[in-house]
Amino acid sequence: MQPLGVDEPTAVGPYRLLGRLGSGGMGRVYLGRSAGGRTVAVKIVHPHFALDEEFRARFRREVDAARRVGGAWTAPVLDADPEAAVPWVATGYAAGPSLTAAVTDGGPLPEHSVRVLGAGLAEALAAVHELGLVHRDVKPSNVLLTVDGPLLIDFGIARATDGTASLTSTGVSIGSPGYMSPEQILSKGVSGAADVFSLGAVLAFAATGTPPFPGDSSASLLYKVVHEEPELGSLSGELRDVVAACLDKSAQ
């Protein structure tokens, strides 16, 4: 956790902010505390996005999707104000690193840990899909490793499987290169199979320390996901078979 900068808020809604947990393309995440002492994670969008009505629609979708999912494998939404001058959402705080940080700092996970990770994420995605939703951005930085198991976070681009709304205008990401499925890249119909493909890429990263579609640019990554076979390195046995099945392009 980083200390608050002089230009950062000290309170949002009813929550006092204690420090910054991280930041990304959509906004910043802070550690907050309610008047009653409950610790939460507060996500605040970047102010310039607050002026974009399409982005506000995306943020409302994130809050709605996260509220609907809840449960043991995702961080529950506790409070939110999508209509605020600068929209924000507060979720239950989960103490634990992201999968990205864990692998970067400690190297690939042991096979047993990858299996546990896969089982937990599969249950989380099953809960998402049973609600008729597709996460569409399953990647290592959206997986938190906690003492109670993995948590799937950030439903910023989740959408209903029967929805027709599209949030793919210039500057609005529809996924993460290297982890998004071929059908997302090609703008084809997206179903729960897209999340399964991304799950395979996440497990490959967890087990080997490198993504299955490496590249030094977004264009290179997108091309490889669509046209090339994944690089699974030292993966072997049943775990390799599971990851390869998830990454099977013909099954999408």
Side-chain angles (χ1 to χ4, degrees):
M1 182 174 70
Q2 300 297 316
L4 297 175
V6 294
D7 61 337
E8 293 183 293
T10 57
V12 172
Y15 303 99
R16 180 167 60 91
L17 302 185
L18 307 177
R20 184 179 353 104
L21 295 172
S23 61
M26 288 178 64
R28 293 181 175 181
V29 181
Y30 298 91
L31 183 67
R33 184 163 293 153
S34 71
R38 184 168 191 173
T39 303
V40 300
V42 183
K43 179 177 182 178
I44 307 172
V45 307
H46 290 310
H48 61 279
F49 283 132
L51 303 175
D52 185 336
E53 285 305 317
E54 190 167 12
F55 182 87
R56 279 185 177 271
R58 173 177 169 173
F59 189 79
R60 283 191 288 267
R61 290 167 67 90
E62 172 181 0
V63 171
D64 180 63
R67 284 190 192 278
R68 290 174 62 187
V69 176
W73 301 109
T74 60
V77 171
L78 304 175
D79 199 357
D81 190 354
E83 310 306 326
V86 179
W88 59 271
V89 59
T91 65
Y93 173 65
S98 70
L99 178 59
T100 298
V103 172
T104 299
D105 294 343
L109 305 185
E111 181 175 335
H112 171 72
S113 297
V114 178
R115 289 175 178 272
V116 172
L117 173 68
L121 292 178
E123 286 196 36
L125 289 175
V128 171
H129 297 164
E130 284 175 5
L131 290 170
L133 295 170
V134 183
H135 188 285
R136 300 208 304 167
D137 200 19
V138 179
K139 59 183 178 180
S141 61
N142 279 344
V143 176
L144 298 183
L145 305 180
T146 77
V147 294
D148 296 319
L151 287 182
L152 184 60
I153 64 171
D154 200 345
F155 288 79
I157 58 174
R159 63 176 293 180
T161 56
D162 60 352
T164 57
S166 175
L167 293 177
T168 58
S169 62
T170 301
V172 180
S173 173
I174 58 168
S176 299
Y179 292 95
M180 61 198 298
S181 67
E183 60 266 37
Q184 286 176 274
I185 295 170
L186 297 173
S187 297
K188 295 183 177 179
V190 175
S191 69
D195 286 342
V196 174
F197 185 92
S198 300
L199 171 62
V202 165
L203 295 180
F205 172 79
T208 67
T210 58
F213 301 101
D216 55 8
S217 70
S218 294
S220 172
L221 291 173
L222 297 176
Y223 180 88
K224 287 184 175 183
V225 170
V226 174
H227 298 288
E228 297 185 5
E229 293 302 309
E231 298 178 20
L232 300 183
S234 59
L235 268 178
S236 61
E238 185 181 11
L239 184 56
R240 185 186 183 94
D241 292 340
V242 170
V243 171
C246 290
L247 295 172
D248 182 359
K249 295 178 176 55
S250 66
Q252 304 307 305

PDB file of all heavy atoms in Angstrom, residues 168-198:
ATOM      1  N   THR A 168     -17.369  -0.742 -27.300  1.00  0.00           N
ATOM      2  CA  THR A 168     -16.101  -0.989 -27.961  1.00  0.00           C
ATOM      3  C   THR A 168     -15.634   0.218 -28.752  1.00  0.00           C
ATOM      4  O   THR A 168     -14.948   0.102 -29.736  1.00  0.00           O
ATOM      5  CB  THR A 168     -16.209  -2.204 -28.897  1.00  0.00           C
ATOM      6  OG1 THR A 168     -17.264  -1.957 -29.854  1.00  0.00           O
ATOM      7  CG2 THR A 168     -16.526  -3.456 -28.132  1.00  0.00           C
ATOM      8  N   SER A 169     -16.049   1.412 -28.337  1.00  0.00           N
ATOM      9  CA  SER A 169     -15.639   2.605 -29.055  1.00  0.00           C
ATOM     10  C   SER A 169     -14.159   2.880 -28.825  1.00  0.00           C
ATOM     11  O   SER A 169     -13.516   2.265 -27.990  1.00  0.00           O
ATOM     12  CB  SER A 169     -16.453   3.810 -28.590  1.00  0.00           C
ATOM     13  OG  SER A 169     -16.235   4.056 -27.221  1.00  0.00           O
ATOM     14  N   THR A 170     -13.617   3.825 -29.573  1.00  0.00           N
ATOM     15  CA  THR A 170     -12.206   4.147 -29.479  1.00  0.00           C
ATOM     16  C   THR A 170     -11.814   4.474 -28.044  1.00  0.00           C
ATOM     17  O   THR A 170     -12.450   5.274 -27.380  1.00  0.00           O
ATOM     18  CB  THR A 170     -11.883   5.361 -30.370  1.00  0.00           C
ATOM     19  OG1 THR A 170     -12.245   5.035 -31.710  1.00  0.00           O
ATOM     20  CG2 THR A 170     -10.414   5.707 -30.308  1.00  0.00           C
ATOM     21  N   GLY A 171     -10.738   3.819 -27.575  1.00  0.00           N
ATOM     22  CA  GLY A 171     -10.246   4.096 -26.233  1.00  0.00           C
ATOM     23  C   GLY A 171     -10.862   3.230 -25.161  1.00  0.00           C
ATOM     24  O   GLY A 171     -10.469   3.298 -24.013  1.00  0.00           O
ATOM     25  N   VAL A 172     -11.840   2.393 -25.491  1.00  0.00           N
ATOM     26  CA  VAL A 172     -12.457   1.514 -24.509  1.00  0.00           C
ATOM     27  C   VAL A 172     -12.032   0.084 -24.791  1.00  0.00           C
ATOM     28  O   VAL A 172     -12.365  -0.468 -25.832  1.00  0.00           O
ATOM     29  CB  VAL A 172     -13.995   1.613 -24.544  1.00  0.00           C
ATOM     30  CG1 VAL A 172     -14.603   0.685 -23.494  1.00  0.00           C
ATOM     31  CG2 VAL A 172     -14.425   3.045 -24.292  1.00  0.00           C
ATOM     32  N   SER A 173     -11.249  -0.487 -23.884  1.00  0.00           N
ATOM     33  CA  SER A 173     -10.735  -1.837 -24.087  1.00  0.00           C
ATOM     34  C   SER A 173     -11.849  -2.867 -23.984  1.00  0.00           C
ATOM     35  O   SER A 173     -12.772  -2.735 -23.192  1.00  0.00           O
ATOM     36  CB  SER A 173      -9.672  -2.135 -23.025  1.00  0.00           C
ATOM     37  OG  SER A 173      -9.270  -3.480 -23.079  1.00  0.00           O
ATOM     38  N   ILE A 174     -11.744  -3.922 -24.788  1.00  0.00           N
ATOM     39  CA  ILE A 174     -12.704  -5.014 -24.686  1.00  0.00           C
ATOM     40  C   ILE A 174     -12.058  -6.265 -24.113  1.00  0.00           C
ATOM     41  O   ILE A 174     -12.614  -7.338 -24.154  1.00  0.00           O
ATOM     42  CB  ILE A 174     -13.330  -5.342 -26.061  1.00  0.00           C
ATOM     43  CG1 ILE A 174     -12.242  -5.713 -27.073  1.00  0.00           C
ATOM     44  CG2 ILE A 174     -14.147  -4.170 -26.564  1.00  0.00           C
ATOM     45  CD1 ILE A 174     -12.774  -6.324 -28.350  1.00  0.00           C
ATOM     46  N   GLY A 175     -10.878  -6.128 -23.563  1.00  0.00           N
ATOM     47  CA  GLY A 175     -10.176  -7.260 -23.002  1.00  0.00           C
ATOM     48  C   GLY A 175      -8.700  -6.931 -22.881  1.00  0.00           C
ATOM     49  O   GLY A 175      -8.287  -5.792 -23.089  1.00  0.00           O
ATOM     50  N   SER A 176      -7.888  -7.943 -22.558  1.00  0.00           N
ATOM     51  CA  SER A 176      -6.460  -7.726 -22.373  1.00  0.00           C
ATOM     52  C   SER A 176      -5.674  -8.585 -23.355  1.00  0.00           C
ATOM     53  O   SER A 176      -5.790  -9.811 -23.327  1.00  0.00           O
ATOM     54  CB  SER A 176      -6.058  -8.080 -20.933  1.00  0.00           C
ATOM     55  OG  SER A 176      -6.761  -7.245 -20.022  1.00  0.00           O
ATOM     56  N   PRO A 177      -4.896  -7.977 -24.253  1.00  0.00           N
ATOM     57  CA  PRO A 177      -4.122  -8.737 -25.236  1.00  0.00           C
ATOM     58  C   PRO A 177      -3.293  -9.830 -24.562  1.00  0.00           C
ATOM     59  O   PRO A 177      -2.673  -9.600 -23.527  1.00  0.00           O
ATOM     60  CB  PRO A 177      -3.225  -7.671 -25.873  1.00  0.00           C
ATOM     61  CG  PRO A 177      -3.984  -6.402 -25.710  1.00  0.00           C
ATOM     62  CD  PRO A 177      -4.679  -6.521 -24.383  1.00  0.00           C
ATOM     63  N   GLY A 178      -3.282 -11.007 -25.163  1.00  0.00           N
ATOM     64  CA  GLY A 178      -2.547 -12.128 -24.602  1.00  0.00           C
ATOM     65  C   GLY A 178      -3.397 -13.019 -23.731  1.00  0.00           C
ATOM     66  O   GLY A 178      -3.063 -14.183 -23.496  1.00  0.00           O
ATOM     67  N   TYR A 179      -4.527 -12.495 -23.235  1.00  0.00           N
ATOM     68  CA  TYR A 179      -5.429 -13.286 -22.389  1.00  0.00           C
ATOM     69  C   TYR A 179      -6.850 -13.324 -22.925  1.00  0.00           C
ATOM     70  O   TYR A 179      -7.628 -14.191 -22.555  1.00  0.00           O
ATOM     71  CB  TYR A 179      -5.414 -12.740 -20.952  1.00  0.00           C
ATOM     72  CG  TYR A 179      -4.095 -12.975 -20.269  1.00  0.00           C
ATOM     73  CD1 TYR A 179      -3.117 -11.979 -20.260  1.00  0.00           C
ATOM     74  CD2 TYR A 179      -3.791 -14.204 -19.677  1.00  0.00           C
ATOM     75  CE1 TYR A 179      -1.880 -12.197 -19.669  1.00  0.00           C
ATOM     76  CE2 TYR A 179      -2.558 -14.422 -19.085  1.00  0.00           C
ATOM     77  CZ  TYR A 179      -1.606 -13.423 -19.089  1.00  0.00           C
ATOM     78  OH  TYR A 179      -0.382 -13.649 -18.519  1.00  0.00           O
ATOM     79  N   MET A 180      -7.214 -12.385 -23.789  1.00  0.00           N
ATOM     80  CA  MET A 180      -8.559 -12.399 -24.354  1.00  0.00           C
ATOM     81  C   MET A 180      -8.667 -13.492 -25.416  1.00  0.00           C
ATOM     82  O   MET A 180      -7.673 -13.906 -26.007  1.00  0.00           O
ATOM     83  CB  MET A 180      -8.919 -11.033 -24.911  1.00  0.00           C
ATOM     84  CG  MET A 180      -8.021 -10.545 -26.011  1.00  0.00           C
ATOM     85  SD  MET A 180      -8.133  -8.757 -26.294  1.00  0.00           S
ATOM     86  CE  MET A 180      -9.824  -8.570 -26.780  1.00  0.00           C
ATOM     87  N   SER A 181      -9.870 -13.963 -25.644  1.00  0.00           N
ATOM     88  CA  SER A 181     -10.093 -15.085 -26.547  1.00  0.00           C
ATOM     89  C   SER A 181     -10.073 -14.639 -28.008  1.00  0.00           C
ATOM     90  O   SER A 181     -10.248 -13.455 -28.312  1.00  0.00           O
ATOM     91  CB  SER A 181     -11.446 -15.725 -26.243  1.00  0.00           C
ATOM     92  OG  SER A 181     -12.491 -14.831 -26.572  1.00  0.00           O
ATOM     93  N   PRO A 182      -9.879 -15.588 -28.942  1.00  0.00           N
ATOM     94  CA  PRO A 182      -9.893 -15.228 -30.371  1.00  0.00           C
ATOM     95  C   PRO A 182     -11.193 -14.562 -30.793  1.00  0.00           C
ATOM     96  O   PRO A 182     -11.175 -13.612 -31.588  1.00  0.00           O
ATOM     97  CB  PRO A 182      -9.700 -16.585 -31.060  1.00  0.00           C
ATOM     98  CG  PRO A 182      -8.966 -17.421 -30.075  1.00  0.00           C
ATOM     99  CD  PRO A 182      -9.506 -16.997 -28.739  1.00  0.00           C
ATOM    100  N   GLU A 183     -12.329 -15.044 -30.270  1.00  0.00           N
ATOM    101  CA  GLU A 183     -13.597 -14.457 -30.704  1.00  0.00           C
ATOM    102  C   GLU A 183     -13.775 -13.023 -30.206  1.00  0.00           C
ATOM    103  O   GLU A 183     -14.459 -12.215 -30.841  1.00  0.00           O
ATOM    104  CB  GLU A 183     -14.788 -15.327 -30.282  1.00  0.00           C
ATOM    105  CG  GLU A 183     -14.932 -15.535 -28.791  1.00  0.00           C
ATOM    106  CD  GLU A 183     -14.252 -16.807 -28.313  1.00  0.00           C
ATOM    107  OE1 GLU A 183     -13.169 -17.136 -28.845  1.00  0.00           O
ATOM    108  OE2 GLU A 183     -14.780 -17.455 -27.391  1.00  0.00           O
ATOM    109  N   GLN A 184     -13.153 -12.689 -29.067  1.00  0.00           N
ATOM    110  CA  GLN A 184     -13.177 -11.288 -28.629  1.00  0.00           C
ATOM    111  C   GLN A 184     -12.373 -10.414 -29.594  1.00  0.00           C
ATOM    112  O   GLN A 184     -12.800  -9.322 -29.960  1.00  0.00           O
ATOM    113  CB  GLN A 184     -12.593 -11.158 -27.225  1.00  0.00           C
ATOM    114  CG  GLN A 184     -13.502 -11.656 -26.115  1.00  0.00           C
ATOM    115  CD  GLN A 184     -12.816 -11.581 -24.768  1.00  0.00           C
ATOM    116  OE1 GLN A 184     -12.099 -12.502 -24.381  1.00  0.00           O
ATOM    117  NE2 GLN A 184     -13.021 -10.500 -24.057  1.00  0.00           N
ATOM    118  N   ILE A 185     -11.211 -10.901 -29.984  1.00  0.00           N
ATOM    119  CA  ILE A 185     -10.346 -10.148 -30.887  1.00  0.00           C
ATOM    120  C   ILE A 185     -11.023  -9.941 -32.240  1.00  0.00           C
ATOM    121  O   ILE A 185     -10.936  -8.860 -32.842  1.00  0.00           O
ATOM    122  CB  ILE A 185      -9.002 -10.883 -31.072  1.00  0.00           C
ATOM    123  CG1 ILE A 185      -8.243 -10.925 -29.736  1.00  0.00           C
ATOM    124  CG2 ILE A 185      -8.152 -10.210 -32.152  1.00  0.00           C
ATOM    125  CD1 ILE A 185      -7.035 -11.824 -29.744  1.00  0.00           C
ATOM    126  N   LEU A 186     -11.723 -10.976 -32.702  1.00  0.00           N
ATOM    127  CA  LEU A 186     -12.352 -10.930 -34.016  1.00  0.00           C
ATOM    128  C   LEU A 186     -13.763 -10.343 -33.969  1.00  0.00           C
ATOM    129  O   LEU A 186     -14.462 -10.342 -34.978  1.00  0.00           O
ATOM    130  CB  LEU A 186     -12.397 -12.340 -34.608  1.00  0.00           C
ATOM    131  CG  LEU A 186     -11.024 -12.983 -34.862  1.00  0.00           C
ATOM    132  CD1 LEU A 186     -11.189 -14.440 -35.292  1.00  0.00           C
ATOM    133  CD2 LEU A 186     -10.239 -12.196 -35.899  1.00  0.00           C
ATOM    134  N   SER A 187     -14.187  -9.876 -32.776  1.00  0.00           N
ATOM    135  CA  SER A 187     -15.516  -9.273 -32.592  1.00  0.00           C
ATOM    136  C   SER A 187     -16.633 -10.222 -32.994  1.00  0.00           C
ATOM    137  O   SER A 187     -17.635  -9.823 -33.591  1.00  0.00           O
ATOM    138  CB  SER A 187     -15.622  -7.961 -33.392  1.00  0.00           C
ATOM    139  OG  SER A 187     -14.696  -7.019 -32.920  1.00  0.00           O
ATOM    140  N   LYS A 188     -16.448 -11.491 -32.660  1.00  0.00           N
ATOM    141  CA  LYS A 188     -17.500 -12.470 -32.880  1.00  0.00           C
ATOM    142  C   LYS A 188     -18.327 -12.597 -31.604  1.00  0.00           C
ATOM    143  O   LYS A 188     -18.038 -11.975 -30.591  1.00  0.00           O
ATOM    144  CB  LYS A 188     -16.892 -13.825 -33.264  1.00  0.00           C
ATOM    145  CG  LYS A 188     -16.144 -13.819 -34.589  1.00  0.00           C
ATOM    146  CD  LYS A 188     -15.632 -15.206 -34.936  1.00  0.00           C
ATOM    147  CE  LYS A 188     -14.950 -15.218 -36.304  1.00  0.00           C
ATOM    148  NZ  LYS A 188     -14.435 -16.564 -36.638  1.00  0.00           N
ATOM    149  N   GLY A 189     -19.381 -13.389 -31.644  1.00  0.00           N
ATOM    150  CA  GLY A 189     -20.209 -13.577 -30.464  1.00  0.00           C
ATOM    151  C   GLY A 189     -19.399 -14.144 -29.312  1.00  0.00           C
ATOM    152  O   GLY A 189     -18.640 -15.094 -29.482  1.00  0.00           O
ATOM    153  N   VAL A 190     -19.541 -13.538 -28.140  1.00  0.00           N
ATOM    154  CA  VAL A 190     -18.771 -13.951 -26.964  1.00  0.00           C
ATOM    155  C   VAL A 190     -19.675 -14.669 -25.978  1.00  0.00           C
ATOM    156  O   VAL A 190     -20.717 -14.151 -25.579  1.00  0.00           O
ATOM    157  CB  VAL A 190     -18.115 -12.729 -26.291  1.00  0.00           C
ATOM    158  CG1 VAL A 190     -17.425 -13.139 -24.997  1.00  0.00           C
ATOM    159  CG2 VAL A 190     -17.111 -12.083 -27.238  1.00  0.00           C
ATOM    160  N   SER A 191     -19.260 -15.872 -25.578  1.00  0.00           N
ATOM    161  CA  SER A 191     -19.992 -16.665 -24.590  1.00  0.00           C
ATOM    162  C   SER A 191     -19.046 -17.017 -23.449  1.00  0.00           C
ATOM    163  O   SER A 191     -17.904 -16.560 -23.399  1.00  0.00           O
ATOM    164  CB  SER A 191     -20.532 -17.942 -25.248  1.00  0.00           C
ATOM    165  OG  SER A 191     -19.462 -18.810 -25.580  1.00  0.00           O
ATOM    166  N   GLY A 192     -19.517 -17.869 -22.553  1.00  0.00           N
ATOM    167  CA  GLY A 192     -18.676 -18.298 -21.445  1.00  0.00           C
ATOM    168  C   GLY A 192     -17.406 -18.986 -21.892  1.00  0.00           C
ATOM    169  O   GLY A 192     -16.421 -19.035 -21.144  1.00  0.00           O
ATOM    170  N   ALA A 193     -17.384 -19.507 -23.127  1.00  0.00           N
ATOM    171  CA  ALA A 193     -16.178 -20.151 -23.641  1.00  0.00           C
ATOM    172  C   ALA A 193     -15.004 -19.181 -23.690  1.00  0.00           C
ATOM    173  O   ALA A 193     -13.845 -19.583 -23.556  1.00  0.00           O
ATOM    174  CB  ALA A 193     -16.446 -20.719 -25.037  1.00  0.00           C
ATOM    175  N   ALA A 194     -15.291 -17.892 -23.874  1.00  0.00           N
ATOM    176  CA  ALA A 194     -14.222 -16.891 -23.895  1.00  0.00           C
ATOM    177  C   ALA A 194     -13.505 -16.838 -22.547  1.00  0.00           C
ATOM    178  O   ALA A 194     -12.276 -16.723 -22.481  1.00  0.00           O
ATOM    179  CB  ALA A 194     -14.792 -15.520 -24.245  1.00  0.00           C
ATOM    180  N   ASP A 195     -14.267 -16.920 -21.470  1.00  0.00           N
ATOM    181  CA  ASP A 195     -13.662 -16.919 -20.133  1.00  0.00           C
ATOM    182  C   ASP A 195     -12.837 -18.182 -19.903  1.00  0.00           C
ATOM    183  O   ASP A 195     -11.813 -18.149 -19.216  1.00  0.00           O
ATOM    184  CB  ASP A 195     -14.745 -16.822 -19.062  1.00  0.00           C
ATOM    185  CG  ASP A 195     -15.355 -15.433 -18.958  1.00  0.00           C
ATOM    186  OD1 ASP A 195     -14.746 -14.470 -19.440  1.00  0.00           O
ATOM    187  OD2 ASP A 195     -16.459 -15.328 -18.380  1.00  0.00           O
ATOM    188  N   VAL A 196     -13.286 -19.304 -20.465  1.00  0.00           N
ATOM    189  CA  VAL A 196     -12.543 -20.562 -20.316  1.00  0.00           C
ATOM    190  C   VAL A 196     -11.195 -20.455 -21.017  1.00  0.00           C
ATOM    191  O   VAL A 196     -10.164 -20.913 -20.499  1.00  0.00           O
ATOM    192  CB  VAL A 196     -13.363 -21.744 -20.861  1.00  0.00           C
ATOM    193  CG1 VAL A 196     -12.530 -23.026 -20.854  1.00  0.00           C
ATOM    194  CG2 VAL A 196     -14.634 -21.938 -20.041  1.00  0.00           C
ATOM    195  N   PHE A 197     -11.176 -19.853 -22.210  1.00  0.00           N
ATOM    196  CA  PHE A 197      -9.915 -19.633 -22.919  1.00  0.00           C
ATOM    197  C   PHE A 197      -8.974 -18.780 -22.059  1.00  0.00           C
ATOM    198  O   PHE A 197      -7.790 -19.110 -21.884  1.00  0.00           O
ATOM    199  CB  PHE A 197     -10.188 -18.936 -24.246  1.00  0.00           C
ATOM    200  CG  PHE A 197      -8.961 -18.767 -25.109  1.00  0.00           C
ATOM    201  CD1 PHE A 197      -8.628 -19.719 -26.052  1.00  0.00           C
ATOM    202  CD2 PHE A 197      -8.152 -17.640 -24.973  1.00  0.00           C
ATOM    203  CE1 PHE A 197      -7.497 -19.562 -26.849  1.00  0.00           C
ATOM    204  CE2 PHE A 197      -7.020 -17.488 -25.758  1.00  0.00           C
ATOM    205  CZ  PHE A 197      -6.692 -18.443 -26.704  1.00  0.00           C
ATOM    206  N   SER A 198      -9.500 -17.698 -21.512  1.00  0.00           N
ATOM    207  CA  SER A 198      -8.689 -16.816 -20.670  1.00  0.00           C
ATOM    208  C   SER A 198      -8.199 -17.546 -19.422  1.00  0.00           C
ATOM    209  O   SER A 198      -7.069 -17.326 -18.976  1.00  0.00           O
ATOM    210  CB  SER A 198      -9.495 -15.576 -20.279  1.00  0.00           C
ATOM    211  OG  SER A 198      -9.896 -14.853 -21.417  1.00  0.00           O
TER     212      SER A 198
END
